[in-house]
Amino acid sequence: MPNLLAMSFEGELTPSFDLRCLRPGAKVPDGWGLGYYPPGEPSAAMLKEPAPQAVSQRSELIKAWDHLESSTFVVHIRTATWGSLSDANTQPFARIWGGREWLFAHSGSLATRPEVTQGSIFEPVGSTDSEVIFCELMNRIAERKWNTLGDADPEVLHGWLNTVNELGTLNVILTDGRDLCVYADRAKGGFDAWELLPPYDKVAFADDDLEVDLTRRGVKSRKGVVITTRALEATQGKPPEWKSLPAGQLLLIRQGSVRAEVTPQGNGDRTVPALRPRGRSARPVRAEPRKLSVVHRTVYTYKNPVERSSHLLRLTPYHDRLQTVLEHRVDVNVPHEAREYDDVFGNRVRRFVVTAPYEEMVIEARSVVQVSDTDPLGQRPLHARSQIPLVWMPWQRHMLNPYLLPSESPESELTELTEYAMSFVKRNDYNLLDTLLDLNASLFTEYRYVQGATTLATSPYEVYCNRQGVCQDFTNLFICLMRLLGVPARYVCGYIYTGPKGQQHKQSEASHAWVQVYLPEVGWTGFDPTNGILTQTDHVRASVGRVYGDATPTSGTIFVGGGPETLKVDVQVEVVD
């Protein structure tokens, strides 16, 4: 029996819980309880039942209730050790602090029931050791004036729980609806964890006493963390990949992502807690200016001669305060008439027309660029106007409007993508830069780089559902999510230096794509979700636009002749001494 189960997801799910232990002929527990937080609510909703009967009406309710929607769930199935079979002794327990309702559940039993200091803010109403532990924790949290678990010091929390653990077995779940704190017993552990990553169609897992179906009421491509005192087996979908938490480990989880962990580390005769923050990527360190040589060679081959065609090239790197073009030339092997102009996005465009027949066209652009974007976040601290939602002056919004409109997609798809985007916002306390860093890191770690898995027509929603693609797909998804949040974002085509052998980053032998986000009072700042980094002196910008079509390096129209076409592109980026 999984005495205790908790779940945290990025965004809301509507799972179904089937208490198999209440079916006819099963061993009925001493009580059960379910707590969750309805969307946007600081208050928890709970269903409890002490001394239940087989085929309980409440248990049938949680199995069939469509309104059971939340990103955080806590389920406790009780085997009584302390106290009578009453509602006051049935977990999870709840207390209000900091304008939120906190839930607590405990698996295990203490050798002696501790006492809460008289006159404390929080006092137990039941007679269990678990409620005393909860009240003692809440009193200490109140003394520290931590209004949320996000305010709490993970190492201090670990120390408190470790002290209580001296009195007996302690596997604990504590949540304020935003964060989920997990502590595994220091002597022998007791929790298994599963980090569930999309894509998936059906996900359900169970044992003889409990079944959880995450997708019965619809599939949402949501990442999540499931914690249980007993590993459950799959009844639908892929088998869970359970990992036992180390004894004495503490985890802080928010919106399906582990934000911090504290694990005791052996050090001679004593145990030292080691804190490892997790989640969003770190801010970039200052880089040195770099001079890069770029050779972009494109070869078009046709079965039949092309007699007349027109072409557009956006192969000239940007020349501005962060990037200086030292040398640049474009060679085309067929006779043509050409002219250059700046398009509405500021790209240097070369347009040429070919009227002489050809079967092969070779376009070669050679550039030497000094890149000086050494510290993309160092211009000024982001203090003002750094919270989501951003507020723009009317003239600013007018100028930025092309970069604020998401792609044309069905409203149902955009709604789900908005919920997905907001999970990053909530996870990072509405901080703009932390949200950007978290999203950039998540696309890098959770989405697979698979060449040939997508096309130019692949939508951001399809990338989100399938969790795979190439640089243009991750760029399109990042841009779509930003625009749904009211953050201006644009598509960038260019080049990336990957080191002598091209092993450091993906996308090394072709043009590359990434995102630029407009940060208030900072300007356009590059994020490369394909590699999980901010752009600095490894990236050379060639063109920008609302979407790929505005910034594509080469394009053209064949008016007469041609037939089947073969395209070969080769890009070389090297450091110039």
Side-chain angles (χ1 to χ4, degrees), residues 314 491 547-552:
R314 298 180 182 88
Y491 195 104
V547 294
Y548 170 76
D550 298 332
T552 180

Side-chain angles (χ1 to χ4, degrees), residues 37 44-46 48 88 90-97 100-105 122-123 125 131 134-135 138 175:
Y37 293 79
M46 283 195 292
K48 290 185 179 183
T90 303
Q91 302 182 45
F93 299 120
R95 292 292 188 277
I96 296 174
W97 172 251
R100 304 188 65 83
E101 194 162 11
W102 299 53
L103 296 180
F104 176 89
F122 299 99
E123 296 182 352
V125 294
E131 193 179 13
F134 182 32
C135 291
M138 293 306 299
T175 180

